[in-house]
Structures are given as C-alpha cells and as structure tokens.
Amino acid sequence: MTVSIKDVALKAGVSVATVSRVLGSGPVSDALRARVEEAVAATGYRPNLSARRLRSQHSQTIGLIVSDIRNPFFTAVSRAVEDAAFQAGMRVILCNTDENPDREAMYLRLMQEERVTGLIFAPTRTTLGRLDRAGLDFPVVLIDRSGPSGLYDSVVLDNQQAAAALVGHLHAQGYRRIAGLFGNTSTTAVERHGGYHAAMIEHGLTPDARFVPPYAEAAEAEVAGWLADGSSVVRPDAVMVSNSLLLMGVVKAARKHGLSIPGDLALAGFDNEAWTELVGPGLTVIEQPVHEIGCAAMNLLFERLDVPDRPTRKVVLSGTCVVRGSTAPWEASRV
Amino acid sequence: MTVSIKDVALKAGVSVATVSRVLGSGPVSDALRARVEEAVAATGYRPNLSARRLRSQHSQTIGLIVSDIRNPFFTAVSRAVEDAAFQAGMRVILCNTDENPDREAMYLRLMQEERVTGLIFAPTRTTLGRLDRAGLDFPVVLIDRSGPSGLYDSVVLDNQQAAAALVGHLHAQGYRRIAGLFGNTSTTAVERHGGYHAAMIEHGLTPDARFVPPYAEAAEAEVAGWLADGSSVVRPDAVMVSNSLLLMGVVKAARKHGLSIPGDLALAGFDNEAWTELVGPGLTVIEQPVHEIGCAAMNLLFERLDVPDRPTRKVVLSGTCVVRGSTAPWEASRV
DNA sequence: CTGAAAGCGCTAACAC
DNA sequence: GTGTTAGCGCTTTCAG
C-alpha cells in the first residue's frame, strides 16, 4: 500500500541505511545518491514522520495553547509562531481552551503524549497557579499572562505602563472623571487595572474601576447602567477599557444611547485592530507588538532548548499609544 | 528518562499487552485493570503517540491549510474544525500559505509525511488546477474555493446568489449606478462577480466591475480614482465589494475624502464581522455561516472516511443578507 | 482473560 | 562509503 524506505532501497538496489543517509545527511557517494533520489522520485516515497519521531526521539513539533484563536491578539501571535516554527522545520499543533481549565489540562496531557519539543501557552489564572505541579518535561513559554513564579520563560506586554499611558493621555487631554472597565478573568486585566489605579492616584484623580465579564455585552450593560435614571454614579467623562471586546461594547452602548464620542464620553482601549481606525472619530488604543510577541516567544523557546538550565527570563515588551479622535481634548469636544 | 508502557507493566506486575488493553479497550479483569491504573498514576505514564500511530497506522490527525489564519473567515472556520476534530479525538495541524503555491506544495508534502487522516484545504487557483495530480492518499475537503472538477468533496458559499442578493437589495433601495469591486486572486471573487454581473443585467443596469488586489489600500485607491478631477468615470452611487478587506478600504476612502455613507455612496459587502455593525451607519453585509462551513467540512471528511468510494459531494451553503444603514433607501439618503 | 512475540518505518551504532 | 542489525514504544495476532 504505502511505500516505505524498504521499497526505495529495493528499487535503488541499496540498503535502507543508504536511503536514510540520502534523506538525512550521511556520507553517500554521488552515484548511490543519484540512484536513491531516482528511486524516491519513481516511487513517490514520503518518509513517515511517526516512525522518524519514534526512532529519533525528536518530535519537531511545538504546541500552541490559547484561549481562542478568534481573539485577534492570539490570531496574530499564532501567525508569528507558525512562521518561526516552520522556518525551523517544525510543525505546530493549535489548541483552543476557551479559558476552560479542564480543557487546558487535557491539552497539556496531549502535549506530553505528542512529546512536543516545546509549548507556547497562554494559561488561565487557575492553570497558571497549578502549572508548577504539572510535571511537564518540555520547555514552556508563557505568553500574554505570566505568573510571579519565574518558573517559566515568558513574554508579556508591560500592562501597567500601557494602562498608565492611557490614563496619562486622557488626563493631558483634560479629562478628569476617568472610569476603568476591566475583564474579570485574566491576569492582564489585573495588571492593567494596577497601572490605571496608580496613574489615577498619581494625577490626583479618583479611581473608578469596574470588573466585568470580558464580553461586549457586559461593557454595554455597564455603560447603560451609568445612564439609568436612578443611577447614583457620577457619570465619567472618559473611560478606558482593558480589551477590544469591552471596547466594542462601549462603542455599541454609545451608539444605542446616542452618546457622542468623545463629546459625551471619551474612550481609549487596547489592541490596534484595523476597525478601531474606522469607528466614529477613530479609537485611541494601545497597540501591542503582536508579531514581536510571537517571535520573542519562539526565540525564548529555542534558546532554552539550546541551554536547558539557564535562568528563566521574562521578556517585557512595550505597547504604543495610537492616538485618535476618541480622546480629543476635553474643551474641544464640548464645543 | 521518559516512562514507557514497559515500566508500567513492570510496576503493575503484568505484561505490556495488558497495559495496552487497559489503555485501549481490551477485555481485562477488574483486578488487573485496577493494578494497571494504579501503576499508570504512580508513574505518571503518558502513551507515546508517535509509537501508537506508527503501530496502528492511524494518525488521528487532520490537516488544515488556509491562506492566512488572520483572515476572519478562516479564523472562524478553524475554530469549528478544531472543535469537531478534538471531539472526535483528533488533533489538527494548522498551516498558513499566504496564497503561495510553493508553500502549498510544501505543506501538502508535509500532510503526506504526517499520514494525516484527512485534510481541509482552501487552495489557491493555481494549486486547485494541479490538485488532481498531487497523488494524495487521504481524503481532502475543499473549503471556500472549489474547482469544477468534482474530484474532491467541498463546501462553499453560494457566492453567485449572495452577490446577486446584494445587488437586488441595492436596486430595491433605489440605487442604479452600482459598481462592483472584486479581489483579483480568488475563485470566490470570480463567482461573486458572476452573481453581480447577472443580477445587474437582470435588473436592467449596466455592470461596472473592477478587479483589484485584495487589500484595503487597493480599494481605497480605486475609490480615490473615481473622485479625481480628471476622472472620466461616471461616479457610482453604490458599490458592492467582494471581501472584508476591500470593504474596509472603501470605508477608509470615504472617510478620507469626506464621502458620506450612504448619502454619497452606498456600500455593501461580505462577512459580518463584529466591527461592521459599528462603522458609520452600520454596513450591510452578507453573513457567511462560518461555523457551519467548518462543521460541514468535517462532516464530509468523516463520511468519506466511512465510505471511501462514494461519489464526491459539494455542499453549498447560503449567506444571509444583514441590512444596515450603509444601504438606506436612496431617496432618504439624499435628504 | 492474559502473556509472548512480531513488527509498524525509521535511524544510528557497529562492522566491514 | 556501505550494509547489517538492533531497537524507539506501542498494538495486535496467536497461544494458552
């Protein structure tokens, strides 16, 4: 049925070892090499990677576990990871966990069974806490979220700084009642809240943070709440949000309730997706170096494979504040 | 180093065959089963999938080759594919080709070496033409693009109908000079152009189609061209575009040149991405049943694995027209 | 129900 | 340089 190295050897009149050497990089005479290559072409032979892996104990496979590939951040990272992997002659197995610790556990098990060369992983908080006891025998690079543990290499955005930059910008533009809307599941949101809080204090402003589920609907409902008649909250004149879904939710709410941006509410958030340029007056956002994050993660992985016992490293990348109309100066937005 | 089935057998005081049976579904007495399970837990044993695959000749792996996972259509499809795959106990290997036939060829080779159980593939036109000579010995399901050949199962959108629906809608809203902007690389664009053209004729309108590279910039430049002083083109009062990048480009051009949508130019396109609801008055688009497309592809694959020699099938799914403000009635948009 | 043994396709010693 | 051979870790006959 399927043609094996034996068939090629037979056809070329050589031993399987010689065929293997031609495929790999052993010393073979030009004459035999030619014969083998001919036989390979004639038979349409393709090496069986399972056999090769079993024998060589190298899977040449890297795992990529993220919450949801549809999250544009992970989409972009996955592209970078895939590019780097295939450039290094490796394959990538993609796994979506939907932030579900059970699925994470299951996929970690899979990674072990695949004997992956390494793993790029964006864990939930829950799993992050247990990771040290997972007993993984391959290098892991954490992305997007990272524990304090320093047990694994990681590459993350400087979330505090980025959030603080957003607050600083809003403050400089003249806004004073700056609310913060954060997702309630991820560690990034916690860090971004930290930056928000510190910056608010630093600027002499009163922090006003809310944690909501990371869905557009949740943000929409929250904003709607501010507008409700009986609402006792002091209405913010600006809001910063910790991810693009919440950003979307605030825009939706503004449209629904006829709020003008930034006239009635200035808005700034994370992730410079293409559409943020097109919505309303354009949305001010922190741009994450998504491609660099993926590349950095792969580099950390390769370096650790090189030197298994070197100290763990945490690569912290900075975001860029892309200023657009949604945070126009306060005075201007009132006229 | 790594614990194998032998170690487990030793620890449990049984043969490796028994361990294998416990892991699989052989008949084993409760007593031994318990002993084995205990030994598995104690040793932290994880089966080696390469070995299992080599022996059983089942890779339990499906390949997914798309042009770019960052294309939201493919992102969504990949989620559906991954879900279905893991539900069936299979893994998926993700490959991005950037519409590059060389990379496609290379990945097809990889798929053979992995001995994948099946492949979900969105080929370029070039590769589509050669596919019959590729000599793949696993089932393939084409998505998004499909040849006339009927050589492989496929699942596609009814592009003609969808494009025609868009034209029909614009016509019903009172627009008459309806331009069409299509990507110049994909077969979907060709089909959508077909639907556009036919519908224009049917409504007694003059087709006005342009093929441009599938980038936002190309669409932007095209629209800018219409506005140029020396331009001899009759300016359209509406435009339909064949994909979301072009859609974005038209919106950008409109913003840049102060064109109001739909006042100066009505706009309709493909792919109901979240942001289309938030841009300007909301964009009228064809919503593709992305998840269903992924599921249908996996179903076709499974069914073919079941009955290898049944006739090939082409599943054609319909899009839904999501009407928003960008195609408000012509009269209304002029007041 | 259980164990012994063959071998999946390949690479890597080891001989010549 | 080249061939022979021993497994990599597992499943699956085949005996018992």
Side-chain angles (χ1 to χ4, degrees), chain A residues 93-298:
Chain A
I93 297 185
L94 170 68
C95 309
N96 298 288
T97 65
D98 288 326
E99 311 271 5
N100 176 345
D102 291 339
R103 281 188 76 152
E104 288 186 320
M106 166 189 147
Y107 281 125
L108 285 176
R109 219 155 41 230
L110 173 65
M111 295 301 112
Q112 307 204 81
E113 303 189 350
E114 291 279 2
R115 305 293 192 264
V116 293
T117 306
L119 172 66
I120 313 267
F121 186 20
T124 58
R125 264 194 304 204
T126 313
T127 300
L128 194 53
R130 302 186 187 134
L131 214 49
D132 51 337
R133 275 161 282 137
L136 305 176
D137 31 34
F138 44 77
V140 178
V141 177
L142 267 18
I143 54 172
D144 195 38
R145 311 99 187 257
S146 102
S149 74
L151 195 61
Y152 295 103
D153 293 315
S154 61
V155 26
V156 296
L157 187 75
D158 189 339
N159 284 306
Q160 275 91 349
Q161 181 241 45
L166 247 24
V167 171
H169 169 66
L170 285 166
H171 179 263
Q173 297 290 75
Y175 298 93
R176 293 295 176 266
R177 298 193 309 282
I178 306 171
L181 220 49
F182 303 91
N184 63 6
T185 62
S186 67
T187 62
T188 54
V190 172
E191 294 174 9
R192 290 171 190 178
H193 171 257
Y196 161 84
H197 191 88
M200 290 294 283
I201 300 290
E202 189 186 328
H203 289 296
L205 305 178
T206 311
D208 174 18
R210 296 106 196 277
F211 286 83
V212 298
Y215 305 112
E217 295 70 31
E220 210 178 329
E222 181 64 33
V223 174
W226 300 344
L227 271 33
D229 278 343
S231 174
S232 58
V233 297
V234 181
R235 219 167 92 189
D237 57 10
V239 56
M240 73 149 281
V241 302
S242 71
N243 72 51
S244 57
L245 283 177
L246 297 182
L247 188 63
M248 218 170 239
V250 174
V251 173
K252 273 192 185 172
R255 289 173 70 94
K256 195 161 164 186
H257 299 98
L259 246 46
S260 109
I261 294 175
D264 298 314
L265 187 70
L267 179 57
F270 279 77
D271 293 331
N272 187 24
E273 295 173 30
W275 59 267
T276 56
E277 187 185 344
L278 305 177
V279 168
L283 304 181
T284 294
V285 290
I286 294 290
E287 175 173 349
Q288 297 198 55
V290 283
H291 200 264
E292 285 71 14
I293 290 174
C295 292
M298 287 301 279

Side-chain angles (χ1 to χ4, degrees), chain A residues 269-331:
Chain A
F270 279 77
D271 293 331
N272 187 24
E273 295 173 30
W275 59 267
T276 56
E277 187 185 344
L278 305 177
V279 168
L283 304 181
T284 294
V285 290
I286 294 290
E287 175 173 349
Q288 297 198 55
V290 283
H291 200 264
E292 285 71 14
I293 290 174
C295 292
M298 287 301 279
N299 284 337
L300 282 180
L301 202 53
F302 288 138
E303 288 170 22
R304 175 149 310 277
L305 290 168
D306 232 32
V307 189
D309 51 1
R310 72 166 194 187
T312 59
R313 289 201 302 182
K314 179 171 189 163
V315 172
V316 180
L317 298 173
S318 292
T320 314
C321 188
V322 179
V323 175
R324 300 207 179 94
S326 70
T327 57
W330 188 85
E331 310 80 9

Side-chain angles (χ1 to χ4, degrees), chain A residues 50 54, chain B residues 48-56:
Chain A
S50 292
L54 174 59
Chain B
N48 181 319
L49 289 182
S50 291
R52 181 175 282 179
R53 288 185 187 127
L54 175 59
R55 176 59 231 225
S56 67

Side-chain angles (χ1 to χ4, degrees), chain B:
Chain B
M1 159 79 226
T2 175
V3 28
S4 86
I5 199 172
K6 239 177 187 162
D7 305 308
V8 178
L10 206 66
K11 181 134 198 160
V14 299
S15 72
V16 294
T18 302
V19 177
S20 178
R21 289 196 187 96
V22 171
L23 266 41
S25 53
V28 185
S29 69
D30 289 352
L32 285 199
R33 160 160 279 129
R35 290 232 306 272
V36 169
E37 276 164 355
E38 197 178 339
V40 166
T43 54
Y45 168 72
R46 288 284 116 208
N48 181 319
L49 289 182
S50 291
R52 181 175 282 179
R53 288 185 187 127
L54 175 59
R55 176 59 231 225
S56 67
Q57 306 282 45
H58 292 310
S59 69
Q60 302 289 67
T61 299
I62 83 119
L64 175 62
I65 305 183
V66 301
S67 58
D68 189 345
I69 186 71
R70 287 171 297 191
N71 176 329
F73 173 80
F74 291 127
T75 316
V77 167
S78 85
R79 246 334 280 267
V81 167
E82 209 248 69
D83 284 347
F86 276 82
Q87 204 161 331
M90 318 191 94
R91 289 145 265 319
V92 4
I93 297 184
L94 171 68
C95 309
N96 297 288
T97 65
D98 287 327
E99 312 270 5
N100 176 345
D102 291 340
R103 282 188 75 154
E104 288 186 321
M106 167 191 145
Y107 282 124
L108 285 175
R109 219 155 41 230
L110 173 66
M111 294 301 111
Q112 308 204 81
E113 302 190 351
E114 292 279 2
R115 304 293 193 264
V116 294
T117 306
L119 172 65
I120 313 268
F121 187 20
T124 58
R125 261 193 306 204
T126 313
T127 300
L128 194 54
R130 303 187 187 132
L131 212 48
D132 49 339
R133 275 161 284 136
L136 306 176
D137 32 34
F138 44 78
V140 177
V141 176
L142 267 19
I143 54 171
D144 196 36
R145 310 99 187 254
S146 102
S149 73
L151 196 59
Y152 294 102
D153 292 314
S154 61
V155 25
V156 296
L157 187 75
D158 189 338
N159 284 305
Q160 275 91 350
Q161 181 242 42
L166 247 25
V167 171
H169 169 65
L170 285 166
H171 179 263
Q173 297 292 75
Y175 297 93
R176 293 296 176 267
R177 297 192 311 280
I178 307 171
L181 219 49
F182 304 91
N184 63 6
T185 61
S186 66
T187 60
T188 53
V190 173
E191 295 174 7
R192 289 170 191 180
H193 171 257
Y196 161 84
H197 190 89
M200 289 295 282
I201 301 291
E202 189 186 327
H203 289 295
L205 304 178
T206 312
D208 174 19
R210 294 106 198 277
F211 286 84
V212 299
Y215 306 112
E217 295 70 31
E220 210 177 329
E222 181 65 33
V223 173
W226 299 345
L227 270 34
D229 279 343
S231 173
S232 60
V233 294
V234 181
R235 217 168 94 191
D237 57 9
V239 55
M240 73 150 281
V241 301
S242 71
N243 72 51
S244 56
L245 284 176
L246 298 181
L247 188 62
M248 218 169 238
V250 174
V251 173
K252 274 192 185 173
R255 289 173 69 92
K256 194 163 167 185
H257 299 98
L259 248 46
S260 108
I261 295 175
D264 297 315
L265 188 69
L267 178 57
F270 278 79
D271 292 332
N272 188 25
E273 295 173 29
W275 58 267
T276 56
E277 186 185 346
L278 305 177
V279 168
L283 305 181
T284 295
V285 290
I286 295 291
E287 175 172 350
Q288 297 199 55
V290 283
H291 201 265
E292 285 72 13
I293 289 174
C295 292
M298 288 300 279
N299 284 337
L300 282 180
L301 202 53
F302 287 138
E303 289 170 22
R304 175 149 309 279
L305 289 168
D306 230 34
V307 189
D309 51 1
R310 71 167 194 185
T312 59
R313 289 200 301 181
K314 180 172 190 162
V315 172
V316 180
L317 298 172
S318 292
T320 315
C321 189
V322 179
V323 176
R324 300 206 179 94
S326 71
T327 56
W330 187 85
E331 309 80 10
S333 70
R334 306 283 138 170
V335 295

